[in-house]
Amino acid sequence: MTDRPLDLDLVQAFVHVAELSSFTRAAEALGGTQAGISLKLRKLEQRLGRSLLERTPRLVRLTSDGADFMERARRLLAADREARQWEAPTPPRLRLGISDHTTGDTLPALLQRLATVSPDIAFDVRMGFSRPLLDAYDAGEFDAALVRREGDRRDSEVLRRDAYGWFAAKHWRQVGAIVPLALLAAPCGVRATATRALDDAGLRWREAFTGGSVSSVSAAVAAGLAIAPMAGHLAPPGSEDVGPRLGLPTLPMADVILVARAGDPANRRALRAFAAFLKA
C-alpha cells in the first residue's frame, strides 16, 4: 500500500461488477468492454493488495475482503459526487414506462440499482400494460419503455426472452372440466394470448380472479384460487407449472424489449445500467 489516492474509475468498475455479478453486464452498463473492466479490477486488486472477487466461468461473487471494501467503495463514489456538485442543480428526470410482466417483484431491486448508479436523476415511473405504454412512448410521454414485444419494433433492444407457463399452487386441485383462470384485466397481452390458446384448443375456461397487477394475480395463485398464465420468473414461491399435467396448450415465449430515445449523458448512463440489470 502507498499513500497514492485510489483511481475512482477502478472503484466504479468494481461496484458495477459486484452489483451485477457479471463483468459483461458491468461493461454494458459503463459503456466499455469486458476486457477493459477485467483490467480495471486487476489494477484495483493490485493497488489494494487484496483479492476482491471470486471468478468462475459461471459466477462472480465478492470475497470477504470484497464485501468489506464494497461499502467503502460506495462512500468514495458518493463523496466524489458531492465534491463535484458546487450547487444543487435541477436534477435530470428520466421518464420510464414499465410493464408489470417484465419486472414483478424484482422492481425494488431494479430501482435500487438505478438509484445507486444514477443518484442525481429523478425517476418518473409508470406501470401498465405493454401496448398502452408503447403508445404513450410514441406520443412522447416517456423517455424509455420496458415492455413485452407487441408487434415488430425495429427501434427496440431485446433484453431477454421469458418462458411462460400455467402456474398454480402445489396444493391446488382442479374440480370439473372448466379451467379457472387468474388474469390481469384487459387489454393485457398475456391475457389475450392465453385465452386465445385455450379457445383454439377447444378448452373451456372461466375467469375466477381478475387482478390489476402481476403481484395480485400471483397472490391469487398462491392462495389456490386459480391457474395463472405467467412468466416463470414471476410465479410465486411454491407454485408449479400445471400445464403439461392438465394438457393445456403451450404458451409462446415473449421478448422483453427496451425502447429509448437518446437523451442527456446522465439518462443514457442510467438506461445502460437499467438494461444490464435486466439482462443479468
Side-chain angles (χ1 to χ4, degrees), residues 98 100 103-112 125 127 274 277:
I98 301 177
D100 210 8
T103 57
D105 291 341
T106 64
L107 182 60
L110 173 59
L111 295 178
Q112 181 184 41
V125 176
M127 308 296 292
F274 186 75
F277 178 91

Side-chain angles (χ1 to χ4, degrees), residues 101 129 131 148 150 164 166 181-200 205 207 229 249 251-252:
H101 282 293
F129 297 123
R131 183 71 263 169
R148 294 173 71 252
E150 299 277 349
Y164 279 72
W166 303 92
L181 296 181
L183 299 168
L184 282 173
C188 171
V190 174
R191 173 196 179 97
T193 298
T195 56
R196 184 168 56 248
L198 291 173
D199 291 339
D200 290 345
W205 58 274
E207 195 163 350
L251 294 172

Side-chain angles (χ1 to χ4, degrees), residues 216-228:
S216 65
V217 171
S218 294
V221 170
L225 299 183
I227 299 170

Side-chain angles (χ1 to χ4, degrees), residues 90-122:
T90 301
R93 181 170 293 274
L94 181 60
R95 303 169 300 162
L96 294 171
I98 301 177
S99 167
D100 210 8
H101 282 293
T102 63
T103 57
D105 291 341
T106 64
L107 182 60
L110 173 59
L111 295 178
Q112 181 184 41
R113 172 68 185 154
L114 284 174
T116 299
V117 173
S118 303
D120 304 324
I121 290 181

Side-chain angles (χ1 to χ4, degrees), residues 18 20 33 44 53-54 67 97 129 157 160 171 186 200 202 207 223 252 265:
L20 293 169
T33 65
L44 180 61
L53 295 167
E54 294 180 15
F129 297 123
E157 176 187 2
R160 66 167 192 262
H171 63 271
D200 290 345
E207 195 163 350

Side-chain angles (χ1 to χ4, degrees), residues 1-15 40-50 52 65-66 68-80 84:
M1 287 288 291
T2 70
D3 292 333
R4 182 166 49 88
L6 289 175
D7 184 337
L8 292 181
D9 283 343
L10 308 185
V11 177
Q12 183 183 54
F14 163 74
V15 170
K40 289 182 179 182
L41 264 294
R42 286 198 299 272
K43 286 182 177 179
L44 180 61
E45 289 178 324
Q46 292 169 0
R47 177 73 177 80
L48 295 173
R50 297 175 184 272
L52 302 177
D65 284 338
D68 288 342
F69 183 66
M70 187 64 173
E71 287 308 313
R72 293 178 171 86
R74 286 175 172 150
R75 290 198 299 270
L76 275 172
L77 296 177
D80 172 67
R84 289 185 285 104

Side-chain angles (χ1 to χ4, degrees), residues 138-278:
D138 289 336
E141 297 178 26
F142 298 127
D143 302 304
L146 176 73
V147 297
R148 294 173 71 252
R149 186 193 292 277
E150 299 277 349
D152 184 19
R153 295 285 306 207
R154 297 183 182 277
D155 59 343
S156 65
E157 176 187 2
V158 177
L159 300 185
R160 66 167 192 262
R161 300 200 78 200
D162 286 346
Y164 279 72
W166 303 92
F167 287 90
K170 287 188 177 179
H171 63 271
W172 179 85
R173 293 294 180 268
Q174 182 166 350
V175 177
I178 300 177
V179 180
L181 296 181
L183 299 168
L184 282 173
C188 171
V190 174
R191 173 196 179 97
T193 298
T195 56
R196 184 168 56 248
L198 291 173
D199 291 339
D200 290 345
L203 297 174
R204 297 171 63 196
W205 58 274
R206 65 182 177 87
E207 195 163 350
F209 179 89
T210 305
S213 65
V214 168
S215 60
S216 65
V217 171
S218 294
V221 170
L225 299 183
I227 299 170
M230 61 195 329
H233 71 95
L234 299 177
S239 64
E240 60 183 358
D241 185 355
V242 297
R245 173 162 61 86
L246 299 180
L248 301 179
T250 300
L251 294 172
M253 298 185 72
D255 290 338
V256 173
I257 64 171
L258 178 68
V259 292
R261 294 183 179 85
D264 61 44
N267 281 2
R268 289 199 298 272
R269 184 169 60 251
L271 286 172
R272 283 199 305 267
F274 186 75
F277 178 91
L278 287 157

